[in-house]
Amino acid sequence: LNVSFVSDAFTAGDYCNLAARAVEETISRGHTPLLVGGTGLYIRTLMQGPTGAPPSTAESRALVDALVEQDSHNWEASLARLSALDPHYATSLFPNDWYRLKRALEICTLSGRTVTSYKKDYSSESCPYDFKCLFLS
């Protein structure tokens, strides 16, 4: 708690670093850590490590916002722009998921690589912890 201000950028990588320290501290005291809540992205990042994609910055977000503006904020036009860069990832997006579309454009533009290329081939050996995931509905 109280590790960041709501106005500060806080990434899944930031979470991963802080959570890993907390997990290690808990284990070193002979206890079992219990992680509750959060998003799938944050838990997956802790379990599998960060993807290595470039971090989002104010400048890169402004660049992508300008691209979307060129597309007149039209979903199909911006999706076509992404499809030209990363067709596989573009087909995985739900309609009007602007957050993921913009982030994908940002990654492709910054790195010259596809979002898909950052997806890791994870195995159980890539996680340093023995996780048990429970989902309540």
Side-chain angles (χ1 to χ4, degrees):
L1 295 174
N2 299 321
V3 297
S4 177
F5 291 102
V6 72
S7 59
D8 293 343
F10 191 80
T11 67
D14 295 330
Y15 170 83
C16 183
N17 292 333
L18 289 172
R21 275 192 296 220
V23 165
E24 290 300 327
E25 289 173 13
T26 303
I27 291 170
S28 73
R29 292 192 312 268
H31 299 287
T32 301
L34 181 63
L35 287 76
V36 179
T39 68
L41 171 65
Y42 280 52
I43 296 298
R44 189 172 47 255
T45 302
L46 178 62
M47 291 172 60
Q48 301 170 342
T51 63
S56 181
T57 66
E59 295 80 17
S60 61
R61 287 188 301 275
L63 173 67
V64 169
D65 285 342
L67 294 174
V68 170
E69 180 71 30
Q70 287 176 12
D71 296 335
S72 301
H73 297 274
N74 177 282
W75 172 260
E76 293 301 324
S78 293
L79 185 62
R81 184 185 294 273
L82 177 61
S83 292
L85 300 169
D86 189 350
H88 180 75
Y89 187 76
T91 62
S92 74
L93 295 178
F94 287 104
N96 293 313
D97 187 347
W98 283 101
Y99 176 81
R100 285 183 175 80
L101 176 79
K102 287 181 175 184
R103 181 63 181 132
L105 287 170
E106 192 177 11
I107 289 168
C108 293
T109 303
L110 286 174
S111 69
R113 290 177 54 187
T114 65
V115 174
T116 306
S117 74
Y118 285 102
K119 301 285 184 185
K120 293 181 178 178
D121 180 23
Y122 295 109
S123 68
S124 60
E125 297 165 9
S126 66
C127 181
Y129 309 111
D130 180 20
F131 272 93
K132 304 289 187 261
C133 292
L134 304 172
F135 300 93
L136 303 176
S137 61

